[in-house]
Amino acid sequence: MEQPTGFILAVDAVNRHVNSARPDAPVCPERPRVARLAPTRLATAGALRRLADRIQPPPVASTPRCS
């Protein structure tokens, strides 16, 4: 082999990958994320909605049709 370091790293990566699928593999619980930007996101969404309501053209008045 020309690059023994690459071989060692590849074998180690394969072992970690194969062993991670085992039922008794160690599991790190996922912690819930803190919603720090929720108030900012809500305020931004409200401001954009109000802006869209102001920019939107008024509906076209329908003319009566003769049938």
Side-chain angles (χ1 to χ4, degrees):
M1 301 214 80
E2 294 179 13
Q3 298 178 346
T5 306
F7 177 73
I8 293 170
L9 290 175
V11 169
D12 184 43
V14 168
N15 282 336
R16 277 189 278 129
H17 175 70
V18 170
N19 290 333
S20 70
R22 300 177 74 183
D24 59 344
V27 177
C28 297
E30 194 172 318
R31 289 182 276 153
R33 295 178 62 190
V34 179
R36 291 181 287 200
L37 298 177
T40 305
R41 195 176 305 143
L42 289 173
T44 304
L48 288 173
R49 181 69 253 168
R50 286 190 301 275
L51 180 64
D53 288 340
R54 291 186 117 200
I55 292 174
Q56 182 179 7
V60 178
S62 63
T63 56
R65 296 183 185 180
C66 297
S67 14

